[in-house]
Structure formats: structure tokens, C-alpha cells
Amino acid sequence: MMPVHRHTLLVLLLSVFTLMPAHAEEPSSELYQALGERSGIETIVKELLGRIADDERIASQFKGIDVRRFHRNLSDQLCQLSGGPCSYSGNDMRSVHAGMGVSDTQFNALAEQLVRAMEEEGMPTWAQNRLLERLVPLHEDIVDVPAEAAPTR
Ligand code: HEM
């Protein structure tokens, strides 16, 4: 009787340890995959840039920005937020947007254009929603942040 039990236990433990890492990784990379990985995200951001330029609610705020830097940093950020193998190395959201006087309407306008860009690229609705969900916590660091919130250099 005993050897059978020991064997069963061993098989059970081995299955648990073999399955564990796969399960731990899956939920975070699923969204990244659905967005088309790094290249899909870069396409969305490019599309978003065009839409920002055409949206009179927000276009003026972006006049004169370093477009390449914005594209790279937002792509890194969305890649990281969606569980992809990237790390965001831009400035923190609070100091980037401090003193811009970003309104709720403008925040929503940008989110709306992001959704349209994802729609355009055929991203599934669940993936669009999940990415937005992960952007919601950034709201308080982007909207109406007083200029004093920027670090003094
Ligand atoms: C979900 C909402 C938003 C996210 C995730 C976001 C994210 C970012 C990121 C990652 C950068 C680049 C930071 C860097 O290069 O260090 C950036 C820059 C910028 N953002 Fe936002 N942003 C959002 C909303 C907005 C809104 C609503 C406005 C204005 C209407 C805005 C205006 C800007 C401007 C003007 C820059 C360029 C700053 C510069 O390079 O001097 N952002 N944002």
C-alpha cells in the first residue's frame, strides 16, 4: 500500500510544481498577446498620435513635444502595463503632466482616441477594456496636477 501512496504523492507534487510557473505567467501576458505584442502596441501608439493631432480637445497640449520620445515611452508603458517584457523608463506620470492643467474631459478624450486606435487595429473588446482598466489608476497623477507637484531640479 505505502509505495503506491508515495508514488501518487510524488506525481501530484511534480504536477503542481510543473504547472505553477505556467499559471503564474499566463494571466499577465494574455493581454500583451491580444494587443499584438510589442509591434501591435507600437502601431496603436502611432495611430493614437495621429488621432491626438486631429482632436481639437487635446492637440494644442501636445504642440512641440518630442514625438519619438513620446512614442517610445508610451509604447514601453503600455507594454509593461499589459504584462509584456518591457520596462518603462520615462519620467513618472505626476511630474510629466504637472502644470499642464489636464482636465477630465481631456483625459477622457485621450482614452477615447486610444480605444478608437485599438478598434482600428482590430483588438478584441475585452483587451481594450482591460488595458483601460490598467490606465485608470494613472488618472489622479495626470489630471489637474498643480505645477508644484513637479520635482525641483
Ligand atoms: C491615459 C492617459 C495618459 C497616459 C497613459 C499618458 C502617458 C504619457 C507618457 C508615457 C508620456 C511620456 C513621458 C516621458 O517621455 O517621460 C506622456 C507625455 C505627455 N503627455 Fe501624457 N498621458 C496621458 C494623458 C495625457 C493627456 C490627457 C494629456 C493632455 C491633454 C497629456 C499630455 C502629455 C504631454 C504634452 C506629454 C509630453 C511631455 C513632454 O515630453 O514634455 N497626456 N504622457
Side-chain angles (χ1 to χ4, degrees):
M1 278 310 259
M2 272 309 278
V4 177
H5 275 267
R6 220 176 287 153
H7 178 74
T8 313
L9 188 71
L10 190 71
V11 169
L12 211 93
L13 276 176
L14 275 176
S15 326
V16 166
F17 284 114
T18 325
L19 289 173
M20 249 173 29
H23 277 279
E25 276 164 32
E26 216 186 346
S28 59
S29 66
E30 203 182 0
L31 176 56
Y32 176 65
Q33 304 296 334
L35 296 174
E37 302 189 351
R38 177 81 199 190
S39 71
I41 290 169
E42 285 182 4
T43 307
I44 295 168
V45 174
K46 192 168 169 231
E47 173 93 14
L48 174 65
L49 270 161
R51 290 177 174 278
I52 288 174
D54 288 341
D55 188 331
E56 60 181 22
R57 295 170 294 180
I58 47 179
S60 62
Q61 298 269 36
F62 288 85
K63 288 237 166 71
I65 67 157
D66 181 339
V67 174
R68 287 169 70 90
R69 179 191 163 101
F70 180 79
H71 183 271
R72 187 187 60 241
N73 283 335
L74 186 57
S75 299
D76 279 344
Q77 189 188 44
L78 298 183
C79 174
Q80 185 177 342
L81 279 174
S82 65
C86 310
S87 52
Y88 174 68
S89 61
N91 294 321
D92 71 281
M93 288 294 94
R94 218 173 161 71
S95 43
V96 167
H97 300 92
M100 283 188 198
V102 176
S103 66
D104 267 328
T105 306
Q106 289 183 316
F107 185 89
N108 292 341
L110 194 137
E112 181 189 318
Q113 297 301 356
L114 177 62
V115 167
R116 289 190 175 166
M118 290 192 282
E119 197 69 44
E120 183 80 24
E121 295 307 316
M123 306 297 167
T125 308
W126 70 262
Q128 298 178 23
N129 290 342
R130 205 165 299 170
L131 185 63
L132 285 185
E133 220 171 74
R134 293 184 188 185
L135 292 175
V136 169
L138 307 181
H139 174 273
E140 61 175 337
D141 286 339
I142 292 173
V143 170
D144 242 344
V145 180
E148 309 85 71
T152 43
R153 289 177 216 276

